[in-house]
Amino acid sequence: MKIFLKPTDPLKFDVDILLQFVFEDELMRELSSFPGELSAQIKEGSLKEDFQGSEGQTLILSTKGLVSSYKIAFIGLGKKEDFDIAALQESVALGIRKSKEVKAVKVGLSVKKEWFDRFDTTDTVRAIVEASHLSDYQFLLYKSEGEKKKIRQIAELLLSVPAGRIRSSEQALEYANIISRATIYARDLVNEPPQLTTPAYLSQQAEKIARESKGLVKVTVLEEDDAKKLGLNAFLGVTRGSDEPAKFIILKYKNSRPKQKIVIIGKSVTFDTGGLSLKNADNMETMKLDMSGGASILAVFQALPDLNPSLEIIGLIPACENMPSGKALKPGDILRAYNGKTIEVLNTDAEGRLTLADALSYAVKREKPDEIIDIATLTGACQVALGQDIAGLWGNDNKILSAIENSAKITGEKVWRMPLEKKYKALIKSHITDVKNIQTGKYGGAITGALFLQEFVDNIPWVHLDIAGPAFAEKDSPLCPQGGVGFGVRLLLHYLTTK
Ligand code: BES
Ligand code: ZN
Ligand code: ZN
């Protein structure tokens, strides 16, 4: 989909469908902006179909040639006071979905002045563009040609932008195109089958990103032997049962005058069977998603050379499978992590924290960064706590946490701050080692997961995002079809580019 900005009146757009957005109960007031005959038709249609402009409501009418567009669609925005960027994106996405349903190839979108007033030009245009690309996304690689042919793609989207805002909108459009491409790349990586997205495949992707980065991204891949020499034993423990060689992937992006050094880490268990603490069939079904954190890190690095922030950014992707076998890690085994701490493994399904223990220790000891951010499909408990749409957010630095929350508001990706409750540290104390990988008792599992990770960050400012809920959509929604969401790509890139 190609997106264009036009300073013209959207009623003059020569398109198959024009998307018009209305807040609840405001349609009647806005009717005067349409030619008389069309306005009468809109009024009639809205009464017949009981369209009030509540959130998610749509009304599609033929314009009968009264304006340039073939059809006109009204999308309800709901109550003004509840409206935020996430709601804006949902509404745009719904408009794009409806356009596809009526087989539109050229779509017009009438940008509301109120959006600019509420969010400013940049954030409004970015939100519209990102929502448009992301709602247009489908993973069709494995559909046969006949199936693919049935789907008509939107070729062009025209956005009406007042002449005075065109220049800042152009920049926002360019940024949002880059960010959307990266998010879609992350979605593809998650949606590909786990037989393809092995640790080796992720390392090849990292190398490809470096090759295409105009020299701005460098990649090092540690093989299992290298990891053994270094002492990444917690990470190596997880891969023991797998026939696929593990890869500890290190990406480095550096701008000429970096203001700060930041390490970003993504959990990358390319398939999580649970190991000997085997998952049941239902829980295992979607476990190709368990490299979503790593997919988001790769996507961030794909975009960094185009966005060029003045930072040094290190990406760590500890990639391996979690499989049962005669060689697999056993409940009761003890591992010594890279920072020397000992871990009693009591459940091999709590494997993500083992791979992250070494990645975090590696970041602290080898890179001495200003900040560390990890993003991980870490716990089912976080899904229970916050549901499918919201990521859990933990950290030891209020300034960074607030900045992440602010980025989340602007990108529409939802996060919720959670506590690193000191009292719960007792729940992961082991009798024979420094820490154990599961907790005593059954409550607060997302928090004890975060507390486990904290054991490996020393005092470096650190943020942990548990994306077990939002990484993977279990059903279709306007912004994302069932499957990988690419959660965190927009959030991380916004955070990194506004530093
Ligand atoms: N990869 C899972 C967490 C997960 C569950 C992500 C559902 C996305 C959707 C993780 O490795 C895991 O299995 N965690 C266990 C931890 C437990 C054994 C302490 C869990 O959540 O059950
Ligand atoms: Zn697991
Ligand atoms: Zn896992």
Side-chain angles (χ1 to χ4, degrees), residues 259-335:
K259 288 184 288 201
Q260 273 194 322
K261 182 172 182 174
I262 300 171
V263 176
I264 53 178
I265 302 173
K267 175 175 169 182
S268 304
V269 174
T270 60
F271 195 77
D272 182 10
T273 64
L276 290 177
S277 312
L278 197 65
K279 287 182 183 293
N280 64 33
D282 264 3
N283 289 336
M284 205 191 294
E285 197 180 293
T286 55
M287 278 305 132
K288 66 174 183 182
L289 68 76
D290 219 17
M291 40 62 84
S292 296
S296 294
I297 301 298
L298 284 173
V300 165
F301 275 85
Q302 187 212 61
L304 283 174
D306 290 331
L307 302 172
N308 220 8
S310 306
L311 294 168
E312 180 175 359
I313 304 169
I314 319 280
L316 299 181
I317 302 182
C320 64
E321 281 185 343
N322 186 22
M323 300 290 283
S325 88
K327 293 204 214 84
L329 189 64
K330 293 180 277 292
D333 279 350
I334 292 174
L335 299 170

Side-chain angles (χ1 to χ4, degrees), residues 21 28 52 110 137 269 271-272 331 337 368 378 392 398 425 435 445 462 495:
F21 297 83
M28 293 307 158
Q52 279 121 11
S110 172
Y137 173 78
V269 174
F271 195 77
D272 182 10
K368 299 182 180 59
L378 200 68
N398 276 329
K425 280 190 187 176
V435 66
W462 156 75
Y495 175 72

